[in-house]
Amino acid sequence: MSEKLLQHINFPKDVRNLNPEQLPKLAQELRRFIIDVVATKEGHLGASLGVVELTIALHYVFNTPEDLLVWDVGHQAYGHKILTGRKDIFHTNRQLNGISGFPKRNESEYDTFGVGHSSTSISAALGMAIASQIKKEDKQHIAVIGDASIASGMAFEALNHAGVTNANLLVILNDNAIGIDPSVGALKEYLTRMKSKRSDIEQHNIIEALNFDYSGPIDGHNLEELISELNRLKEIKGPKFLHVTTTKGKGLKQAEEDQVKYHAPGKFDKFSGDLLPKPSITQPPKYQDVFGKTIVELAQQNEKIVGITPAMLTGSSLKFMLDKFPERTFDVGIAEQHAVTLAAGMATEGIIPFCNVYSTFLQRAYDQIIHDVATQNLPVIFCLDRAGLVGQDGATHHGVFDLAYLRCIPNMIIFAPRNEVELRNIMYTAQLGLDHPIAIRYPRGRGITLDWQQPFEAIEIGKGTCIKEGTDIAVLSIGTIAKNVSEAIHLVTDKANVAHYDLRFVKPLDKKLLHSVFQKFDKILTIEDGTVNGGFGSAILEFAATHKYNNSITVLGIPDTFINHGTIDELQQLCKIDSVSISIQINNLIK
């Protein structure tokens, strides 16, 4: 058996010492290495498998890290990490205290720009290229962006700017016709035509119209062709654009055939490629599925309901709505700003839009929430999936800021269900008709209720509830973190001392309930899975200050720092909002 090349490759300079004829073998070994590790450690698979040859070619042709390489999102950067000094620790990928699943500047000098959200690469690389001009440095600047990401408005803003500069910028379009779900929109159809009818398109090329030197499409799995074209482009000044076609999941049969499932497949058999069987026990549903199945139920009763998502049909489970009501389901691609204002436009005409966006991605549409929805007081229903700590995707993906960034906006209603039944009921309540926009936030992962598909009941807006009576200490929680509180109280010796209230609404607060709590209890503990700065606890402190209460108030939540990656349980322990940490805090207050 021949000696493996990859075991001698630690940095890109080692790749550049190889003969071109050796590179296909390196690609084969790199692909196998990624499969072997991700099979047991989990992570994003398909995207990285699809760009193995492109990754090798980039580090072979360009003098990284002096030449600056920016990856878009970073789902596809596993091969890059392995070739840039992290091969021996790649098994720690996305684990607590291990390497990040995305490029991260403080992890390696080869990670020139930190990413987690899409469509940022062209802007960042252009900024670097202009900086090099100012400093009179001779460097290459390369942005690798996918066909789903390039359809985003931010990417077009950057292309528009770059086209009127003479910056030394190379944009590489990794075109595999899929993001997480299949790519959508007119640009996707245009790119498809470019691949199939090159001669017809040459006279009407949108990229060339933006003053880029366009080349392609070329086969992204042909190393000889890639290296030849990259070497040619390296000598051309000004903005360049290389269109590369690849297959997501390349080299693993199942990942090529089911690109959605194998984007991040969980654990699988590294030899067969088959997903490992799930436990056969009956489990509570995922919150995303509660949303997805409930909106279908409601849409069957109310023909004005529509579902909108920015490129997260599968992740949000809006695919159920698409299957049942395709004409009332809208995947707008990676375009959060458009999704929000599209929903606002629909709301002006009496349509009831459920705009489903991951909490962390809604940050990208903040002006639209304020300017297009809240200022006009339009009853858009925002369903914020992946709220709170999300685990191994890390700092860019934790949905911990939503309570703080939404709470300050006039007209917003903010609700956090503590279980699946409450999520169903608030969705039902919202579509009955509200006078204001509402944000409903719920976490990643499974709920706690097996019998969750219960008859709908309307929820009174701004009404909290008492979960447990007590005598000395009041714990106020919001959302699904109530489960940790209940477990914590069970661990406390003097359980009778502890009352537990679920406020449910961060805005409007249940002031009647709060007055009774502040008048009854000297010690109050607030708990949330959002940032302590400006969040639920801050709202309680403001209430106390406004009404001149002098109670002792302790606020628990996500501290004022970016939380890295790890399991949700590990990160809750780190933030001291797990059940054991909460019980210790309660015991300390009792003492």
Side-chain angles (χ1 to χ4, degrees):
M1 185 175 178
S2 60
E3 188 177 30
K4 290 187 180 298
L5 290 173
L6 187 58
Q7 69 185 57
H8 300 293
I9 304 294
N10 295 304
F11 289 97
K13 61 182 177 59
D14 303 319
V15 178
R16 293 191 279 270
N17 285 333
L18 297 176
N19 297 319
E21 297 77 24
Q22 295 176 290
L23 297 181
K25 184 173 185 295
L26 176 62
Q28 184 180 22
E29 292 179 14
L30 181 56
R31 196 168 263 122
R32 187 72 251 170
F33 187 88
I34 293 170
I35 291 170
D36 287 354
V37 174
V38 177
T40 57
K41 300 299 182 181
E42 303 187 25
H44 296 100
L45 180 68
S48 285
L49 293 182
V51 295
V52 163
E53 288 84 4
L54 178 60
T55 303
I56 291 171
L58 286 168
H59 285 296
Y60 191 74
V61 170
F62 295 101
N63 185 33
T64 55
E66 282 74 23
D67 290 334
L68 302 173
L69 173 60
V70 181
W71 295 93
D72 211 281
V73 182
H75 293 146
Q76 71 272 47
Y78 286 4
H80 161 81
K81 291 203 169 204
I82 293 163
L83 296 179
T84 54
R86 288 163 281 185
K87 178 180 63 181
D88 293 341
I89 56 172
F90 184 67
H91 64 279
T92 70
N93 184 45
R94 302 173 81 246
Q95 297 178 43
L96 187 68
N97 300 321
I99 63 171
S100 170
F102 302 99
K104 199 169 183 180
R105 277 172 55 82
N106 63 5
E107 188 178 289
S108 169
E109 63 179 335
Y110 291 90
D111 292 0
T112 60
F113 199 77
V115 288
H117 297 177
S118 80
S119 315
T120 59
S121 61
I122 304 175
S123 297
L126 177 60
M128 295 170 181
I130 293 172
S132 292
Q133 286 182 325
I134 292 170
K135 296 190 291 182
K136 295 181 169 51
E137 294 175 343
D138 185 18
K139 290 183 178 181
Q140 302 287 337
H141 312 86
I142 309 102
V144 182
I145 187 168
D147 56 284
S149 296
I150 203 169
S152 170
M154 183 176 179
F156 265 89
E157 290 169 19
L159 289 170
N160 183 55
H161 180 194
V164 293
T165 73
N166 61 350
N168 190 19
L169 172 69
L170 170 60
V171 176
I172 299 177
L173 172 63
N174 171 33
D175 183 1
N176 58 21
I178 190 168
I180 296 175
D181 289 294
S183 300
V184 297
L187 183 63
K188 174 253 185 180
E189 294 178 1
Y190 174 81
L191 293 173
T192 300
R193 292 197 303 273
M194 289 188 75
K195 288 182 282 189
S196 60
K197 300 178 181 179
R198 178 74 178 109
S199 59
D200 297 340
I201 296 293
E202 283 175 347
Q203 297 175 23
H204 307 284
N205 187 306
I206 189 172
I207 304 301
E208 290 179 347
L210 292 171
N211 297 326
F212 277 76
D213 185 306
Y214 175 91
S215 61
I218 66 171
D219 181 0
H221 302 299
N222 185 325
L223 273 160
E224 183 178 357
E225 188 176 9
L226 279 172
I227 290 170
S228 173
E229 187 60 17
L230 290 174
N231 274 318
R232 185 186 75 81
L233 290 168
K234 191 165 67 169
E235 302 305 318
I236 296 174
K237 300 301 181 185
K240 288 109 31 189
F241 191 102
L242 173 60
H243 187 169
V244 172
T245 61
T246 62
T247 300
K248 189 171 182 177
K250 179 75 172 177
L252 185 66
K253 181 173 179 286
Q254 290 88 333
E256 293 184 32
E257 293 176 350
D258 193 341
Q259 296 178 334
V260 173
K261 186 175 290 183
Y262 278 80
H263 172 74
K267 293 182 180 180
F268 61 94
D269 186 298
K270 67 180 183 180
F271 298 108
S272 70
D274 294 335
L275 299 181
L276 298 183
K278 303 290 184 183
S280 57
I281 59 172
T282 303
Q283 295 178 288
K286 293 180 179 179
Y287 277 97
Q288 67 189 58
D289 290 340
V290 174
F291 162 80
K293 292 177 180 178
T294 300
I295 194 175
V296 170
E297 277 186 69
L298 295 172
Q300 289 170 330
Q301 303 170 18
N302 188 339
E303 63 184 14
K304 292 184 177 180
I305 288 175
V306 301
I308 301 170
T309 183
M312 288 296 164
L313 274 173
T314 300
S316 70
S317 292
L318 203 58
K319 60 183 179 181
F320 299 134
M321 179 84 168
L322 180 69
D323 292 341
K324 193 74 174 176
F325 300 106
E327 74 285 355
R328 289 157 62 188
T329 308
F330 302 91
D331 178 1
V332 300
I334 302 175
E336 292 85 1
Q337 297 178 27
H338 168 58
V340 171
T341 305
L342 177 72
M346 289 181 173
T348 66
E349 295 300 303
I351 296 298
I352 303 171
F354 281 79
C355 188
N356 187 296
V357 188
Y358 286 12
S359 168
T360 183
F361 297 151
L362 192 64
Q363 296 162 188
R364 300 169 68 110
Y366 194 58
D367 181 60
Q368 286 68 32
I369 299 168
I370 296 172
H371 183 273
D372 300 334
V373 177
T375 301
Q376 304 184 91
N377 204 18
L378 294 170
V380 174
I381 303 165
F382 294 105
C383 294
L384 308 193
D385 199 340
R386 272 59 166 186
L389 296 166
V390 298
Q392 290 157 314
D393 283 337
T396 56
H397 281 60
H398 296 313
V400 297
F401 302 110
D402 50 14
L403 295 179
Y405 73 67
L406 292 173
R407 193 172 69 82
C408 61
I409 302 175
N411 292 331
M412 285 297 300
I413 300 170
I414 307 170
F415 181 89
R418 73 174 180 275
N419 57 35
E420 303 92 318
V421 175
E422 289 224 320
L423 174 54
R424 280 173 56 79
N425 285 338
I426 196 63
M427 291 175 65
Y428 168 74
T429 303
Q431 59 87 43
L432 291 176
L434 295 175
D435 296 327
H436 307 285
I438 185 171
I440 306 165
R441 72 180 308 259
Y442 49 92
R444 181 181 189 177
R446 295 191 180 276
I448 57 175
T449 312
L450 290 175
D451 182 24
W452 61 275
Q453 286 183 299
Q454 299 176 17
F456 291 117
E457 293 182 12
I459 290 176
E460 183 180 346
I461 301 299
K463 184 72 172 175
T465 185
C466 178
I467 297 176
K468 179 187 176 297
E469 298 283 0
T471 57
D472 296 330
I473 296 171
V475 182
L476 310 181
S477 67
I478 191 77
T480 57
I481 201 74
K483 175 177 179 286
N484 288 17
V485 175
S486 295
E487 291 173 353
I489 293 173
H490 184 72
L491 298 174
V492 172
T493 305
D494 300 318
K495 299 179 184 60
N497 289 352
V498 188
H500 180 196
Y501 295 88
D502 172 20
L503 266 290
R504 302 160 95 198
F505 291 89
V506 176
K507 189 174 186 178
L509 287 171
D510 188 341
K511 294 182 180 178
K512 181 179 178 181
L513 177 62
L514 286 175
H515 279 301
S516 68
V517 168
F518 273 81
Q519 289 163 11
K520 181 178 179 180
F521 300 94
D522 290 331
K523 297 176 182 178
I524 294 169
L525 178 64
T526 74
I527 300 175
E528 61 198 295
D529 59 353
T531 177
V532 295
N533 285 6
F536 169 63
S538 289
I540 302 303
L541 289 169
E542 290 165 16
F543 173 87
T546 298
H547 297 283
K548 297 180 171 54
Y549 285 113
N550 295 315
N551 308 58
S552 168
I553 304 173
T554 303
V555 176
L556 295 184
I558 309 304
D560 186 24
T561 186
F562 287 106
I563 307 300
N564 287 323
H565 48 278
T567 66
I568 292 176
D569 287 344
E570 288 170 336
L571 299 182
Q572 286 188 348
Q573 291 170 23
L574 194 67
C575 297
K576 300 190 184 307
I577 56 173
D578 63 294
S579 56
V580 173
S581 297
I582 294 170
S583 70
I584 292 171
Q585 185 69 245
I586 293 172
N587 277 324
N588 289 339
L589 288 173
I590 291 173
K591 292 173 184 177

